[in-house]
């Protein structure tokens, strides 16, 4: 294949628009996944029996349903019952909700890894439940699971192109649209390289962080 640099020059403005959409989806999706995952984990650990049952049912259902199906459901079905959301908003919610079920398991493992003596010490000091969680348990638990949480951010980045199917023009969406308009493949190749350039260094940083925290 003869590489046509003029195609890349012409595509670059749209590429950067796609990068912005990708970063927005990844950033906001990550915040939702981390925050909601922590809520799921705490609810399973200390909530009433009925709350635990509901949370487990919800997280298992989401975890065992393809992300693509969830995106279609949020974009095409939910508006029948409630407000219509933009493709990007739908993608953010879909990514965040889907990955919150995985981060909840990460948090739960971190919480269960906190020594029982820490819980007993908090009780002996007459700390409230809220104080026990915020000052004793969560700081230790989260420190243990930071590298694993980072792995899910990388995984979310690699799943983010799926938002293209509901009309959110991320990097892949822009490249696909451009390629269909011009009958070229350079844009798709550039986007593939871009994902590697972002994901591989991030993976190396996470490994280094994991080694550092393990000391």
């Amino acid at each position: 294949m003869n590489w046509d640099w003029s195609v890349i020059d012409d595509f670059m403005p749209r590429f950067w628009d796609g990068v912005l959409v990708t970063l927005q989806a990844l950033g906001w999706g990550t915040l939702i996944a981390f925050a909601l995952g922590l809520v799921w984990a705490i609810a399973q650990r200390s909530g009433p029996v009925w709350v635990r049952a509901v949370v487990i049912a919800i997280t298992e259902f989401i975890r065992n349903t393809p992300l693509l199906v969830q995106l279609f459901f949020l974009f095409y079905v939910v508006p029948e019952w409630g407000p219509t959301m933009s493709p990007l908003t739908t993608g953010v919610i879909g990514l965040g909700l889907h990955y919150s079920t995985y981060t909840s398991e990460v948090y739960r493992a971190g919480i269960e890894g906190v020594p029982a003596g820490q819980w007993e010490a908090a009780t002996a000091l007459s700390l409230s439940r809220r104080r026990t969680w915020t000052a004793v348990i969560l700081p230790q638990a989260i420190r243990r699971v930071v590298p694993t949480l980072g792995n899910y951010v990388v995984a979310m980045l690699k799943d983010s192109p799926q938002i293209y199917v509901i009309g959110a023009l991320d990097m892949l969406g822009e490249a696909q649209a451009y390629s269909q308009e011009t009958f070229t493949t350079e844009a798709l190749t550039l986007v593939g390289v871009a994902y590697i350039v972002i994901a591989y260094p991030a993976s190396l940083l996470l490994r280094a962080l994991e080694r550092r925290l393990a000391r």
Side-chain angles (χ1 to χ4, degrees), residues 174-191:
E174 291 286 4
Q176 181 69 13
Y178 183 85
S179 296
Q180 290 175 346
E181 295 167 7
T182 60
F183 302 102
T184 58
T185 59
E186 282 84 353
L188 290 169
T189 303
L190 174 64
V191 167

Side-chain angles (χ1 to χ4, degrees), residues 119-129 131-132:
W119 294 92
E120 295 168 358
T123 301
L125 293 171
S126 299
L127 297 181
S128 65
R129 174 175 291 189
R131 184 66 175 167
T132 298

